[in-house]
Amino acid sequence: MTPDAAQPTRPQPLTMQDVLLTLQRFWTERGAMVVQPFNTEVGAGTANPATMLRVLGPEPWTVGYVEPSVRPDDARYGENPNRLQTHTQFQVILKPDPGNPQEVYLQSLEALGVDVHAHDIRFVEDNWASPALGAWGLGWEVWLDGLEITQFTYFQQAGGLVLDPVSVEITYGIERIVMALQGVDHFKKIIYAPGISYDEAFGQAEYEMSRYYLDDADIPTNQQLFGAYADEADRLLDLRLPVPAYGYILKSSHTFNVLDARGAISTTERASSFARMRNLTRRAAQLWTERRDELGHPLGVVTPPPAAAAPSGFPQIDGTNTLLFEIGLEELPAGEVVRSAEAVRTAVTDKLAQTRLPHGKVSALSTPRRIVVTVAGVQAREPDAERTVRGPRTSAAFGPDGAPTKAAAGFARGQQIAVSDLQVIEIDGVQHVGITRIDPGRGAAEVLSGLLAEVVAELRAEKNMRWRDAGLSYARPVRWLLALLGNTPVPVAVSSLASGVTTRVLRTAERPVVTVERADGYREFLSDHGIVADSADRRAQIVAAAEELAAGVGGVVDLDGEAALVDQIAALVEAPNAVLGSFDPRYLELPTAVLTTVMRKHQRYLPVVSPTDGSLLPHFVAVANGPCDRVLVAAGFSDVLRNRYEDAAFFWRADLKVPPADFQAGLAKLTFAEGLGSMADRAARIADTASTLATFVAISDTDAATLARAGELAKFDLASQMVVELSSLAGTMAGVYARAAGESDAVATALVEMEQPRSAGAPVPQSVPGTLLSLADRFDLLAGLFATGARATGSSDPFGLRRAALGVISILRAWPALADITIPGGLEAAAGRLRQAGVVVTQDALDEAGEFIARRYEQAVLDGGAEHRLVQAVLPLAVTPAVADLALADLETLVDDEGFVALTTALQRARRLVPAGTSTTYDPAALTDPAELALGAAVDAAGPAVRSARTLAEFAAAASPLAAPINEFFDNVLVMADDPAVRAARLGLLATINELAEGRLDWVALG
Amino acid sequence: MTPDAAQPTRPQPLTMQDVLLTLQRFWTERGAMVVQPFNTEVGAGTANPATMLRVLGPEPWTVGYVEPSVRPDDARYGENPNRLQTHTQFQVILKPDPGNPQEVYLQSLEALGVDVHAHDIRFVEDNWASPALGAWGLGWEVWLDGLEITQFTYFQQAGGLVLDPVSVEITYGIERIVMALQGVDHFKKIIYAPGISYDEAFGQAEYEMSRYYLDDADIPTNQQLFGAYADEADRLLDLRLPVPAYGYILKSSHTFNVLDARGAISTTERASSFARMRNLTRRAAQLWTERRDELGHPLGVVTPPPAAAAPSGFPQIDGTNTLLFEIGLEELPAGEVVRSAEAVRTAVTDKLAQTRLPHGKVSALSTPRRIVVTVAGVQAREPDAERTVRGPRTSAAFGPDGAPTKAAAGFARGQQIAVSDLQVIEIDGVQHVGITRIDPGRGAAEVLSGLLAEVVAELRAEKNMRWRDAGLSYARPVRWLLALLGNTPVPVAVSSLASGVTTRVLRTAERPVVTVERADGYREFLSDHGIVADSADRRAQIVAAAEELAAGVGGVVDLDGEAALVDQIAALVEAPNAVLGSFDPRYLELPTAVLTTVMRKHQRYLPVVSPTDGSLLPHFVAVANGPCDRVLVAAGFSDVLRNRYEDAAFFWRADLKVPPADFQAGLAKLTFAEGLGSMADRAARIADTASTLATFVAISDTDAATLARAGELAKFDLASQMVVELSSLAGTMAGVYARAAGESDAVATALVEMEQPRSAGAPVPQSVPGTLLSLADRFDLLAGLFATGARATGSSDPFGLRRAALGVISILRAWPALADITIPGGLEAAAGRLRQAGVVVTQDALDEAGEFIARRYEQAVLDGGAEHRLVQAVLPLAVTPAVADLALADLETLVDDEGFVALTTALQRARRLVPAGTSTTYDPAALTDPAELALGAAVDAAGPAVRSARTLAEFAAAASPLAAPINEFFDNVLVMADDPAVRAARLGLLATINELAEGRLDWVALG
């Protein structure tokens, strides 16, 4: 075999075995142990006890090892270019975090022959969690020209235990790295050893093990094995033997994976099996930790890094200077970059406000690797301040003889002054003895030193992590601090970090660490090193470059449509370097949604489209970080895309062979949520609930037929390989595959529409069947999850309850014709179907769900710019959002109408007076006052028209004649008459008025 | 940790992980692939499919890999210095054999930092077979200063399939190598990685997995797993998926080992489980081979090395020269060294005899690495020879006219001569036409070239193997040929080998390959290179050196007692270099038999004993091969012994904690032989059979009590760790442990004696209980195995039937007092007990066993120098060997006695005449002839004394008066008289005489 002819200039790449040997050698030279792969099938290097158990407890553990990772579900008979039932990981654990793991990692890539100066290597946020292992961590995917080659994680928790110290986990994806190094497009073409391809050596095993996992594993046998393994693990934990117990946990886990790949895990089994494995793992972790304690920690105990020395003095500052403070970081998550600058700016501003240090404007900029705050015009010192210390009242301070009392003497002694130095000061009109002291202003360096240390110590992000520096916690590790006031270093010490006068520029720079001489002009200083510190500048550069590159191939980038992606890209680089990439036009036969989803979601590439019809062109713009070999990197970006498209094409072709009904049957394998069955159960409920909703409204026979068929196929594409891989294409692919399978356009459309709206403001279904299915989907989700106790709290909304509720609102607002479907009605329809399936759904849960949806309506109209008071007023109507919308629109006109205002005021008077529950029946004969008689007559007259008013406008028109009589009544009549009969009649009359207005608005809110 | 202080001068040794990395690097640099350990527990690297499957079929496969090898039975909680439940192998497979695997292997040791010039590195015969894998191979243990560090095997068969090409398997024992390199005496002290000991890193796992394997594995669960795995393997083989099937075979095998370590394998399970695994493995191997064929051999097909070119011409030789022919070998088994020289000498002699080449004496010498044959006085050519070709008879060759017939013409034409050239030659008195041709003699080089090639091609040993040279087969590979006639090279081509003029001297020599100029003086030439070519010389050197070294510490070596060991040592080296080693005297507290057994059997060390009382001194003499650092090597030899003694001491201490009865119970775990139950079953049978034998003879109450107790404990030590490790100590340890447990001396002695005699000529039991147990043991073995179909054939006698039979003979000959125990009686006693246990024992089988034992008697007395004819004569008495001995002794005297000779002759006359089955009752009245009357009277007179004679001598004395009357009778009486009554009486008289002589001897044999 020869390397890919397209890459003839690359030097002779390493064989796969040399890559493995090189990594072992590299890491041992950096103090790691090398151990062997575990002698039981594991799904990942993480599962090997050399990671899972060793990250626990206080002992150091720095290790590297190869791990053939077995994933039965990834078996493809060797046919898929990138997917193997056994792929090879090289796993590194650094415990403790050495402080520079990214840098060491990059050296390892160089050792493999990767020219880090030519390639685009980036750390892209990727957080990892394994509920089954009770483990999570924060970190990155490492991208090599867009290809994910490594998972890099700061392990925070494992086996349910908080890790202290934190371990750094580096997991190299060996086949991917080798394919990239060797420039081959199928794992089978990898040169494993000189003259021997992966296929030649291992092709048969790949095929046969795929056969086993996908087709031939005996299900009862594996079920039996699963139980036997788990029981044995359980028993061994009771015997306090975590090592063999953990081995059996791994065996049970693998067997579970085999059963899963064979499609043999029922919903109940999945839930109970996971719970069992999780519980066993937690126990094993706990027991391991105990046993290591008992053994006295044979490998010793990690010593945390020493705290940085507190500043022993502060430099003298003269004049007015600019403060530069840089917090150096490992790559922040894209979502944190802009936020971080703002948070630090606010913190500095607030903290400065608590000092007396005069200063000018506080600004902050950020990139993935730094938060730079500057404060203009910082004066040299705080001014001195007077402070009054109050002593005893004068009357108590001096005796009748004018001599100081003991109290005065004591106070003076406490203040270390002579009694004769006591002054008389007046506080709140009372004279006290006391003393006025001068608090001398601190020097700027001293002020800033403490303040900036606090800023760092108090840094917090949405998700925070720990690293070796046990005193800090943030989105990613803080690795350096730079503080200059003018050209004077300001000493800042926080935890183990001490500020200096250096910054780190691009890692690939000739000198990656540079000294900064002065605070002024730092933005330009960074710019000279290729770094664009301002997110807005980066964004603008990216936009300009994308436009230019797209134009070069006769295309455009939809910069409005891609605005969020551009924001994200701007937060992924500090030195944007956009390149144009291309892909083989034959991939354009794949659905556009597939192509663009892959580009955006997986690769953060900007699609290039035709300026005339917006159709996709076979090009994209991708943004590298910093200088690189643009031809090489563009080729790499394109290679990755080709590989992903090849994957997608594989799924596409494979999926097209499967009838939708077969996929539908496959949904039984997919769990929905605990207590709510499988996705097949859910799809069936949605179909039935949609049918029920259809009975609330009149739909055509054609629509009914479409609804029935689409209901049968609801969500079938969730079982397709494409959607398993690209979940955001759910629905989209249903439409495509349904059409390909000969379903009608209407059915295909309904299947697409049932997933709409996909987000706030996104399109809602346009067809009745699609609408009904979409509503049923969301009512089922909300009713089901509220019934089983799930709630959206804070930032946590794993099931997307908010989005579902907003979807209901969006659809019902868009479809006044379906106003007979109310929110409570829809929830109740879903609840009925859920109850059929044995789910307990209480009225309280439904009420709570209804309330939750109503709040989304409130939020939606407020976000739409409506006045808060008016929104509150129409909220009672939100059970039918289209009606509420109409009322709100009417109200927005009426609030400026004098008659309506008068009516409102009058109605509020009535409403305030009448107790709740007052009967509307009364004895008209008891009314005698002319005002009350007039009111009675007016009510009788207006009543029919008021009652039949369909809109708020009609109501206002019909009811406005009541305003004057009501006011007359209140002005002249004492409602609470002594005579009970009179009082009852008067209340009854007012209650009737209230009843006429009831439900039209929240009149009180309007007040 | 610091290296052992005793070895301060060694350079910084590699850590264990560096050893593993270095080996990977070393072998990849020599073209090997590196693969990963298998992800299922395996007992050895051999089991990994990268060996077991890949050695099958014609594809090349050169691979190296680490294999953590799990052996539940070796679990010791981490307490034993050398034994781990998981030890680490580095496994190399070279397919095809590269032709120089030993040399490459030695380079790998150098890469690990082993100074091969300083150390003694040897290849010591070790043949490997795994019935469970249907696999075997021949090769060596590699010894580093006496420490086995590697198994080196030429794989001949696997999965029941003959391997073509043969694979070289090199299995490094990593912990041993590392312990030696690092100079540590416990695996826990190994420096695994810088600053981390094996114990610190893996001690807990070692302990916990030991707990699991020895104490805590759930037996029913593992039984269930075993069945599930085997069933799954079976099913996958039916589905033609050898890869997953083989994985499950390995899982079943490991589970079996777990059950075995837990003592949970019953005899029947063991047999059936082994059969099942063997069968599955064979099917997997067969299927793998078929599948690779179907896949078209993805890795290609090994090409055999080309045949050496046949000589294109032969050199002209002048005068008379010495032939030197050397066959260069990889280390022969010790047992083959002397034999090989003799075999080659004979072959050359015989083949020369079939030529006309005049030559002198043929001699041969040998070392482990060479067979050197020299032929003195080889003349330059064969003389010419005349050869007569016979044509038609003269009568048919010429017509009546004297003209040649067509027959004559045809013959002449066929001979390409003129008819006129026909000669007349006489053959067997008939005249033919014909022709005398001269066969010209061939030159010596031509003669020898073909002859020597045949010698090499026809080399055969007791066990033969194949290597890369498919045309050859021998005990070990032939790697070079050297042939010189005088100083002229003789071209010899056989298979891929062509002779040259170089030889290989010691591998550690500065120039290991040297040119040989002339045939004469080759012995001295080798001697100059340190090689002692003559086995006898080597032996003499070893003896002399051993005496001198032993004397240096005031001791001696028992050179007579150790003669066989000295022979063996002389066959293990080509350059004997004896050194004196020592061990810590505290080990002398161990039983001497243990100490000397370890020395002799495992290490081939000569024990040094006190010249006064023969007691063991703490010294030994060991013999290295070639120059080395004698201090270093002596220390190494001593280290190995210390380690082994430490092991033995561990067993000793552990065994002493176990009461004999507990060991006895453990025998149920040990299989005896198929169909004959466990060792516990056998021990019980032996005890019962011994009791039965005791009833045949009169024994004292004391002996009876001793017998009963010893019977209860029979063979208990087979379950002790010491005997499991050192099986030749069976019986010896029983005595030691029994005494230690408070058993009586008599019982202990009986337990020792029941294993006696250990070999031909070795001591037999001296006590009655010991004797009875020993006999019962052997009768049980013979009766049982003959009953179940086992036989000793050729060199195959796996159950030691011959030795058992010889034991019976030796004991019964030594114990005339027990003559009431006959061979058939003993066998029948054993058979009775076997039948009780459900074994079918036919009379035919017992007869065959009896006959087998009798042949041993015959052999024994012949070996003792008795005359064949006399031995044959006493054979009928061999059912009671002591009686036969007595008769033989008498006979040896009597054969020179005239009277006895006359008696014999007379008795033979009678015997020849009387048909078998003739009645001895007759009517005396029918006898009338004086001679027959005289004979009748003589018979009547001698009868009582004859019948009561206890010995042959007494019989001869009593019967001799019959000789004369018998002869008279035959001279005068016609036995076959016409009168039937007379004839019957005469025959009856003679039959009576025969009956008197019957059973005394085989009279016919004596004729």
Side-chain angles (χ1 to χ4, degrees), chain A residues 500-759:
Chain A
V501 294
T502 56
T503 187
R504 304 191 196 171
V505 292
L506 295 172
R507 289 199 185 84
T508 53
E510 199 176 335
R511 287 171 45 237
V513 178
V514 293
T515 300
V516 182
E517 304 281 357
R518 62 191 64 81
D520 288 312
Y522 188 57
R523 194 162 164 170
E524 293 70 29
F525 177 93
L526 286 176
S527 179
D528 290 346
H529 286 90
I531 292 168
V532 184
D534 187 337
S535 295
D537 290 351
R538 290 197 300 277
R539 195 182 197 290
Q541 285 189 12
I542 291 164
V543 164
E547 283 173 332
E548 186 183 330
L549 290 167
V553 290
V556 295
V557 172
D558 174 10
L559 289 163
D560 290 338
E562 311 288 4
L565 179 56
V566 175
D567 286 345
Q568 204 181 12
I569 294 170
L572 284 173
V573 293
E574 15 182 51
N577 186 0
V579 297
L580 182 81
S582 302
F583 57 90
D584 192 323
R586 73 186 168 85
Y587 291 116
L588 290 171
E589 73 176 17
L590 290 171
T592 300
V594 170
L595 299 174
T596 55
T597 297
V598 167
M599 277 195 227
R600 290 189 195 105
K601 287 233 167 193
H602 288 187
Q603 297 299 139
R604 277 78 157 191
Y605 295 169
L606 292 162
V608 174
V609 298
S610 159
T612 51
D613 62 2
S615 64
L616 187 63
L617 299 180
H619 303 288
F620 60 88
V621 173
V623 182
N625 188 38
C628 59
D629 177 337
R630 290 170 56 84
V631 174
L632 177 71
V633 169
F637 285 160
S638 301
D639 282 352
V640 177
L641 198 63
R642 185 197 62 222
N643 283 339
R644 288 205 180 265
Y645 283 177
E646 199 50 51
D647 261 17
F650 179 87
F651 300 143
W652 167 249
R653 288 189 295 267
D655 286 347
L656 283 179
K657 292 181 194 152
V658 182
D662 287 8
F663 279 134
Q664 183 70 27
L667 295 180
K669 261 183 72 177
L670 304 173
T671 313
F672 167 46
E674 187 136 6
L676 295 173
S678 70
M679 202 49 83
D681 297 332
R682 171 154 148 80
R685 289 199 305 268
I686 291 170
D688 290 350
T689 300
S691 298
T692 305
L693 297 180
T695 65
F696 296 178
V697 292
I699 72 168
S700 69
D701 288 353
T702 313
D703 280 351
T706 300
L707 177 61
R709 179 58 184 160
E712 285 170 13
L713 299 179
K715 297 205 175 277
F716 79 87
D717 61 339
L718 294 185
S720 72
Q721 293 195 43
M722 187 73 85
V723 175
V724 167
E725 186 67 16
L726 299 168
S727 56
S728 67
L729 290 175
T732 307
M733 296 319 298
V736 174
Y737 290 147
R739 264 189 200 89
E743 299 292 336
S744 69
D745 266 9
V747 167
T749 301
L751 289 168
V752 174
E753 289 183 346
M754 74 173 287
E755 303 301 332
Q756 294 175 338
R758 292 179 176 277
S759 59

Side-chain angles (χ1 to χ4, degrees), chain B residues 310-331:
Chain B
S312 56
F314 299 99
Q316 177 68 37
I317 308 289
D318 295 318
T320 299
N321 294 284
T322 299
L323 169 71
L324 164 63
F325 184 55
E326 181 180 79
I327 301 171
L329 296 154
E330 294 181 357
E331 277 77 351

Side-chain angles (χ1 to χ4, degrees), chain A residues 779-870:
Chain A
F779 283 130
D780 177 72
L781 184 88
L782 290 158
L785 287 166
F786 272 85
T788 53
R791 295 293 182 276
T793 56
S795 64
S796 163
D797 183 11
F799 291 103
L801 293 171
R802 288 198 189 92
R803 198 178 50 184
L806 199 54
V808 168
I809 294 300
S810 303
I811 293 168
L812 292 180
R813 290 178 75 191
W815 279 85
L818 299 183
D820 286 342
I821 301 174
T822 63
I823 289 167
L827 287 170
E828 183 51 43
R833 182 60 181 76
L834 282 159
R835 291 186 187 115
Q836 269 180 39
V839 181
V840 175
V841 190
T842 64
Q843 189 58 45
D844 278 357
L846 289 186
D847 290 349
E848 207 181 330
E851 179 59 29
F852 180 78
I853 300 172
R855 280 201 299 277
R856 289 317 110 194
Y857 177 78
E858 179 184 3
Q859 193 61 45
V861 289
L862 286 172
D863 288 351
E867 193 185 333
H868 184 262
R869 185 176 63 105
L870 307 189

Side-chain angles (χ1 to χ4, degrees), chain A residues 17-18 20-22 24-25 28 32-41 54 61 66 68 70 192-193 196 200-202 204-205 207-209 211-212 216-218 221-222 224-225 228-229 232 235-236 239-244 248 251 288 291-292 295 298-299, chain B residues 17-18 20-22 24-25 28 32-41 54 61 66 68 70 192-193 196 200-202 204-205 207-209 211-212 216-218 221-222 224-225 228-229 232 235-236 239-244 248 251 288 291-292 295 298-299:
Chain A
Q17 72 182 17
D18 276 339
L20 296 174
L21 285 171
T22 301
Q24 288 176 63
R25 185 65 73 184
T28 53
M33 282 177 70
V34 169
V35 299
Q36 300 307 316
F38 199 53
N39 59 5
T40 264
E41 297 93 335
R54 299 293 186 161
W61 185 255
V66 182
V70 185
Y192 185 87
I196 300 178
E200 289 160 352
F202 307 118
Q204 182 183 353
Y207 170 77
E208 289 194 22
M209 294 311 296
R211 278 280 308 274
Y212 184 71
D216 296 317
D218 189 56
T221 297
N222 278 278
Q224 176 197 353
L225 292 177
Y229 294 149
E232 194 71 346
R235 219 174 44 76
L236 292 166
L239 291 166
R240 291 181 58 77
L241 295 172
V243 174
Y248 275 106
K251 287 179 200 288
W288 168 270
R291 292 282 300 130
R292 296 303 284 182
L295 293 170
L299 291 165
Chain B
Q17 70 183 16
D18 276 339
L20 295 175
L21 285 172
T22 301
Q24 288 176 63
R25 187 64 75 185
T28 54
M33 281 177 69
V34 169
V35 299
Q36 302 307 316
F38 200 52
N39 58 6
T40 266
E41 297 92 336
R54 299 292 188 163
W61 185 254
V66 182
V70 185
Y192 185 86
I196 299 178
E200 288 160 353
F202 308 117
Q204 183 183 355
Y207 170 77
E208 289 194 22
M209 294 311 297
R211 279 281 305 275
Y212 184 71
D216 295 317
D218 188 57
T221 297
N222 278 280
Q224 175 197 355
L225 291 178
Y229 294 149
E232 195 71 345
R235 219 173 44 75
L236 292 166
L239 290 166
R240 292 182 55 77
L241 295 172
V243 174
Y248 275 106
K251 287 178 199 289
W288 167 270
R291 293 281 302 128
R292 296 304 283 183
L295 293 170
L299 292 164

Side-chain angles (χ1 to χ4, degrees), chain B residues 3 80 120 259 319 337 595:
Chain B
N80 183 293
D120 175 47
L259 287 167
V337 172
L595 299 173

Side-chain angles (χ1 to χ4, degrees), chain B residues 667 670 679 715-721 723-724 727 730-731 755:
Chain B
L667 295 180
L670 304 172
M679 202 50 83
K715 297 206 175 279
F716 80 87
D717 62 337
L718 293 186
S720 71
Q721 293 193 46
V723 176
V724 167
S727 55
E755 303 302 330

Side-chain angles (χ1 to χ4, degrees), chain A residues 85-420:
Chain A
Q85 51 82 32
T86 299
H87 76 283
T88 309
Q89 295 184 344
F90 189 83
Q91 169 88 354
V92 174
I93 288 292
L94 306 175
K95 178 189 180 191
D97 159 22
N100 61 344
Q102 290 181 310
E103 284 71 17
V104 180
Y105 166 76
L106 290 172
Q107 289 166 16
S108 76
L109 293 187
E110 292 195 88
L112 295 180
V114 175
D115 180 351
V116 300
H117 301 280
H119 288 277
D120 175 47
I121 297 171
R122 265 182 289 160
F123 292 82
V124 180
E125 176 191 13
D126 189 49
N127 302 328
W128 176 82
S130 166
L133 299 175
W136 68 274
L138 302 187
W140 308 274
E141 300 174 352
V142 182
W143 285 11
L144 172 70
D145 300 340
L147 177 71
E148 181 195 343
I149 56 170
T150 298
Q151 287 268 351
F152 196 115
T153 306
Y154 287 89
F155 237 162
Q156 303 290 308
Q157 208 174 338
L161 301 174
V162 171
L163 302 184
D164 183 15
V166 162
S167 290
V168 181
E169 181 193 52
I170 303 175
T171 305
Y172 298 77
I174 296 300
E175 284 84 1
R176 290 186 162 212
I177 291 175
V178 175
M179 285 170 71
L181 287 175
Q182 297 184 351
V184 298
D185 60 4
H186 196 298
F187 75 84
K188 287 186 168 182
K189 298 183 189 167
I190 287 172
I191 311 285
Y192 185 87
I196 300 178
S197 74
Y198 195 102
D199 186 36
E200 289 160 352
F202 307 118
Q204 182 183 353
E206 188 61 33
Y207 170 77
E208 289 194 22
M209 294 311 296
S210 293
R211 278 280 308 274
Y212 184 71
Y213 292 136
L214 300 178
D215 306 314
D216 296 317
D218 189 56
I219 291 170
T221 297
N222 278 278
Q223 284 167 336
Q224 176 197 353
L225 292 177
F226 179 83
Y229 294 149
D231 288 350
E232 194 71 346
D234 211 357
R235 219 174 44 76
L236 292 166
L237 289 169
D238 291 344
L239 291 166
R240 291 181 58 77
L241 295 172
V243 174
Y246 185 67
Y248 275 106
I249 293 170
L250 291 179
K251 287 179 200 288
S252 70
S253 170
H254 174 65
T255 311
F256 177 88
N257 292 341
V258 173
L259 287 166
D260 201 18
R262 289 282 283 117
I265 298 284
S266 74
T267 309
T268 43
E269 275 169 348
R270 181 180 306 274
S272 67
S273 300
F274 261 121
R276 181 141 202 221
M277 289 187 288
R278 185 166 52 241
N279 176 46
L280 289 171
T281 305
R282 281 171 193 263
R283 286 176 62 200
Q286 182 61 47
L287 180 56
W288 168 270
T289 311
E290 288 170 21
R291 292 282 300 130
R292 296 303 284 182
D293 282 351
E294 290 163 14
L295 293 170
H297 303 305
L299 291 165
V301 167
V302 169
T303 321
S312 56
F314 299 99
Q316 176 68 38
I317 308 289
D318 295 318
T320 300
N321 295 285
T322 299
L323 169 71
L324 164 63
F325 184 55
E326 180 179 77
I327 301 171
L329 296 154
E330 295 182 357
E331 277 77 350
L332 285 177
E336 290 289 346
V337 172
V338 172
R339 179 162 38 209
S340 69
E342 182 51 28
V344 170
R345 197 191 60 74
T346 305
V348 171
T349 304
D350 293 352
K351 286 182 190 294
L352 276 171
Q354 290 165 35
T355 72
R356 302 194 299 274
L357 187 64
H359 63 87
K361 185 180 174 196
V362 180
S363 342
L365 301 172
S366 60
T367 77
R369 284 188 77 204
R370 67 197 74 236
I371 304 167
V372 177
V373 61
T374 50
V375 183
V378 179
Q379 293 193 13
R381 302 190 60 80
E382 291 177 314
D384 294 347
E386 276 196 353
R387 180 166 54 93
T388 300
V389 185
R390 178 175 70 179
R393 276 188 288 181
T394 310
S395 53
F398 300 101
D401 55 353
T405 59
K406 280 189 178 175
F411 173 74
R413 196 164 52 248
Q415 293 295 316
Q416 297 184 300
I417 54 174
V419 174
S420 56

Side-chain angles (χ1 to χ4, degrees), chain B residues 471-727:
Chain B
L472 299 177
S473 172
Y474 192 45
R476 290 294 181 274
V478 179
R479 293 298 190 189
W480 79 90
L481 301 175
L482 161 66
L484 281 171
L485 189 54
N487 53 11
T488 307
V490 178
V492 179
V494 53
S495 191
S496 71
L497 288 172
S499 66
V501 294
T502 58
T503 187
R504 303 191 196 171
V505 292
L506 294 172
R507 289 199 184 84
T508 51
E510 197 175 337
R511 287 171 47 237
V513 178
V514 294
T515 301
V516 182
E517 306 280 357
R518 61 191 65 78
D520 288 313
Y522 188 57
R523 194 163 164 170
E524 293 69 30
F525 177 94
L526 285 176
S527 179
D528 290 346
H529 285 91
I531 293 168
V532 184
D534 188 337
S535 295
D537 289 351
R538 289 197 301 278
R539 196 183 196 291
Q541 286 189 11
I542 291 165
V543 164
E547 282 175 330
E548 184 183 332
L549 290 166
V553 289
V556 294
V557 171
D558 173 11
L559 289 162
D560 290 337
E562 311 289 4
L565 179 57
V566 175
D567 286 345
Q568 204 182 12
I569 294 170
L572 283 172
V573 293
E574 11 181 56
N577 186 359
V579 298
L580 182 80
S582 302
F583 58 90
D584 192 322
R586 72 187 167 84
Y587 291 116
L588 290 170
E589 76 178 12
L590 291 172
T592 300
V594 169
L595 299 173
T596 56
T597 298
V598 166
M599 279 195 227
R600 291 189 194 104
K601 287 234 167 194
H602 288 186
Q603 296 300 138
R604 276 81 158 190
Y605 296 168
L606 292 161
V608 173
V609 298
S610 158
T612 50
D613 61 2
S615 64
L616 188 63
L617 299 180
H619 303 288
F620 60 90
V621 173
V623 182
N625 187 40
C628 58
D629 177 337
R630 289 170 57 85
V631 174
L632 177 71
V633 168
F637 286 158
S638 301
D639 282 351
V640 177
L641 198 64
R642 186 199 59 223
N643 282 339
R644 288 203 180 267
Y645 282 178
E646 199 49 51
D647 260 18
F650 178 89
F651 300 142
W652 167 250
R653 289 190 295 266
D655 286 347
L656 283 178
K657 292 179 194 154
V658 182
D662 288 6
F663 280 133
Q664 183 71 26
L667 295 180
K669 260 183 72 176
L670 304 172
T671 311
F672 168 45
E674 188 137 6
L676 295 173
S678 70
M679 202 50 83
D681 298 331
R682 173 155 146 80
R685 289 197 306 266
I686 291 171
D688 291 349
T689 300
S691 300
T692 306
L693 297 180
T695 64
F696 297 177
V697 292
I699 73 170
S700 70
D701 288 352
T702 311
D703 280 351
T706 301
L707 177 61
R709 179 58 184 158
E712 283 170 12
L713 299 179
K715 297 206 175 279
F716 80 87
D717 62 337
L718 293 186
S720 71
Q721 293 193 46
M722 187 72 86
V723 176
V724 167
E725 186 67 16
L726 300 167
S727 55

